[in-house]
Amino acid sequence: MSATIIAVPTDRSDMSPGQAAPAMDRRTRALLEAPLAALLLRLAAPNVLLMLAQSATGLIETYFIGKLGTDALAGASLVFPGIMLMQMISAGSMGGGISSAVARALGGGRREDAQALVWHALVINGALGLVCTVGMLAFGPSLYRAMGGHDASLQAALAYSNILYAGAVLLWAMNALASVIRGTGNMLVPGGVICGGALLLIPLSPSLIFGLGPFPRMGIAGGATALLLYYVLGILLQATYLWGGHGVLRPGWPSRLRRHLFWAILRVGALASTTSIQTNLTIMLTTGMVGGFGAAALAGFGTGSRLEYLMVPLAFGIGGPLVAIVGTNIGAGNVHRALRAAWVGGVFGFVITEAVGLAAALFPHAWLSLFDTDPAMLATGSLYLQIVGPFYGFLGLGLVLYFASQGAGRLIWPVLAQFLRLLTAVGGSWLALRLGSGLSTVFLMIGVALAVFGCTVAGSIAAGSWRRR
């Protein structure tokens, strides 16, 4: 394929009129010129650690909450899809829009715009964090009841949820700053900050949950409090890096907010957010179906599906650098290199997530028994992993190419692919239950839906969806 047949010019859609193009930073030039496989591996390694560490924060919580009993674990399972929705939108969807806007600005030589985008990112994510706080404090109880929560499991969900959502803005702000830094091609700083925060949670969570040492015994609410303290630390460290003048950007203080910079983020981030919403809606609706089989089945499904959620940060570990690589090359008009980077990343994503899925299918108890040993929970969780685990490679492929599409600003097909996944998983599961099938058929439909998602995204790019404006 020749780059001359791809009718995509240098991206100047968010460029200020008459703005000069200063010399490019060394890091930006590497995104445009370095060998792709080596570049992606070098950038992805710290980012994979970053996302695994951020996911580990939830797993650390789950491990200690599981010591409080099956009802507490079931309550945390009710809250987890919503928390992951916030995480996926703030870091992956809107975060991808932020990284993409910064990368495209730097690739086009618009450093002033890239610096101003820091404040625009904080405004957008801060507003969305407030929406989450108000919405979940008002409607959380009704949502958890609809998902199958009742009695002790519902009370545990609310004790955890109310504290965590009260400080939701902190999560959104931390991920806004991390996304800005990733957009410059720097994965080490966010990785170091978030890995350090995860290490902090290892002693802090059990101390607040069980009342160790000088700390009060807060039960499941202690886990949520520990997470909020972790978010505060992440904000302080990343803000020090940016405003201390240690990176590519020197954001300073805002003179005024500009509409075209909000649009530079939202035209990618808003559309990408619909994909995250559909992903979590799929999990929430199938969780509600499984909840009809009892608290132990709900806990088993929730614990098993957390491994599926772990595939998202694994894919984002590769996809985050792809947003910067693809966005910078799109900004510079080098679409052929952007496409090659996407396919290299897609192969990496498929291989890594498929390996995890096959291991989980072969040894499900190695994962599930970390959180609880209830026989009914283990049976449901094992069934889920044995059926769905072999499909994880398609999820990884689709997610990595979805992040690459964020960098390219081409998200229609990934959004459509996620809708087809939702339709297949939820519609197929509902029909299976109506026809009298059990959980095994529900889990099979969830797995098939992952294959539909991955194949649709890959097929659309192969068919040339990036070649058309």
Side-chain angles (χ1 to χ4, degrees):
M1 180 187 296
S2 169
T4 59
I5 66 170
I6 302 177
V8 183
T10 301
D11 188 342
R12 301 179 182 272
S13 57
D14 9 286
M15 185 171 182
S16 299
Q19 189 169 344
M24 286 185 182
D25 179 85
R26 173 182 56 83
R27 191 185 303 273
T28 304
R29 188 163 298 283
L31 299 178
L32 295 169
E33 298 174 356
L36 281 173
L39 174 66
L40 185 56
L41 287 172
R42 178 169 58 83
L43 295 178
N47 204 47
V48 167
L49 290 176
L50 178 155
M51 297 313 299
L52 287 176
Q54 196 154 27
S55 296
T57 61
L59 298 178
I60 292 167
E61 301 271 341
T62 304
Y63 175 81
F64 292 116
I65 288 171
K67 305 301 180 184
L68 298 174
T70 300
D71 285 323
L73 188 59
S77 296
L78 292 170
V79 180
F80 193 70
I83 299 301
M84 283 303 298
L85 175 60
M86 282 204 307
Q87 177 64 38
M88 290 168 67
I89 293 180
S90 62
S93 301
M94 200 59 67
I98 293 166
S99 296
S100 176
V102 171
R104 284 184 279 115
L106 290 173
R110 296 177 284 113
R111 187 183 297 272
E112 182 183 338
D113 276 358
Q115 293 173 165
L117 281 165
V118 177
W119 287 104
H120 293 74
L122 286 171
V123 169
I124 291 171
N125 270 23
L128 291 172
L130 287 175
V131 169
C132 290
T133 296
V134 173
M136 289 305 296
L137 291 181
F139 302 108
S142 299
L143 174 64
Y144 300 141
R145 289 190 191 97
M147 292 172 64
H150 56 84
D151 300 330
S153 63
L154 177 61
Q155 293 305 312
L158 292 174
Y160 186 68
S161 173
N162 288 343
I163 291 178
L164 200 53
Y165 279 106
V169 171
L170 298 174
L171 170 65
W172 286 82
M174 183 184 74
N175 283 330
L177 296 177
S179 299
V180 166
I181 297 169
R182 279 196 299 270
T184 69
N186 186 333
M187 310 295 155
L188 286 173
V189 168
V193 168
I194 294 177
C195 286
L199 292 176
L200 173 67
L201 283 176
I202 294 175
L204 186 59
S205 285
S207 296
L208 290 173
I209 291 172
F210 303 112
L212 304 179
F215 296 96
R217 180 182 174 87
M218 299 178 66
I220 193 172
T225 304
L227 277 177
L228 295 186
L229 294 174
Y230 154 67
Y231 298 153
V232 170
L233 177 64
I235 291 170
L236 292 176
L237 292 176
Q238 291 180 122
T240 299
Y241 172 81
L242 279 170
W243 276 270
H246 303 294
V248 173
L249 303 180
R250 307 285 193 276
W253 298 100
S255 55
R256 61 188 179 90
L257 298 176
R258 287 170 274 177
R259 183 180 303 176
H260 78 280
L261 294 183
F262 281 123
W263 176 240
I265 295 172
L266 290 172
R267 73 185 182 93
V268 174
L271 189 58
S273 296
T274 64
T275 300
S276 296
I277 291 171
Q278 290 178 89
T279 297
N280 285 271
L281 185 59
T282 301
I283 298 293
M284 287 181 175
L285 291 175
T286 50
T287 298
M289 295 179 189
V290 174
F293 290 85
L298 178 62
F301 173 71
T303 305
S305 63
R306 288 196 180 210
L307 188 60
E308 179 182 328
Y309 273 122
L310 193 59
M311 299 304 99
V312 177
L314 273 176
F316 185 53
I318 301 167
L322 272 181
V323 174
I325 295 171
V326 171
T328 303
N329 280 277
I330 290 290
N334 193 352
V335 186
H336 180 62
R337 177 177 167 86
L339 279 167
R340 287 194 292 115
W343 288 119
V344 170
V347 171
F348 287 169
F350 180 88
V351 170
I352 293 172
T353 53
E354 182 66 11
V356 174
L358 291 176
L362 292 172
F363 309 104
H365 281 211
W367 169 260
L368 299 168
S369 59
L370 292 173
F371 308 104
D372 198 1
T373 56
D374 180 80
M377 185 282 284
L378 291 175
T380 302
S382 296
L383 182 65
Y384 168 84
L385 291 174
Q386 288 164 353
I387 294 175
V388 181
F391 290 94
Y392 279 179
F394 294 100
L395 176 63
L397 172 67
L399 286 173
V400 168
L401 294 179
Y402 153 74
F403 288 119
S405 298
Q406 280 186 319
R410 303 288 189 271
L411 283 173
I412 294 298
W413 275 102
V415 170
L416 177 60
Q418 195 62 258
F419 175 74
L420 293 175
R421 176 191 172 187
L422 171 64
L423 189 65
T424 303
V426 176
S429 297
W430 176 84
L431 182 60
L433 292 177
R434 291 279 292 181
L435 295 175
S437 297
L439 283 175
S440 58
T441 307
V442 172
F443 295 158
L444 178 61
M445 295 311 303
I446 292 173
V448 170
L450 297 181
V452 168
F453 168 64
C455 291
T456 301
V457 179
S460 69
I461 295 175
S465 63
W466 285 16
R467 303 176 201 169
R468 296 180 287 274
R469 291 296 292 173

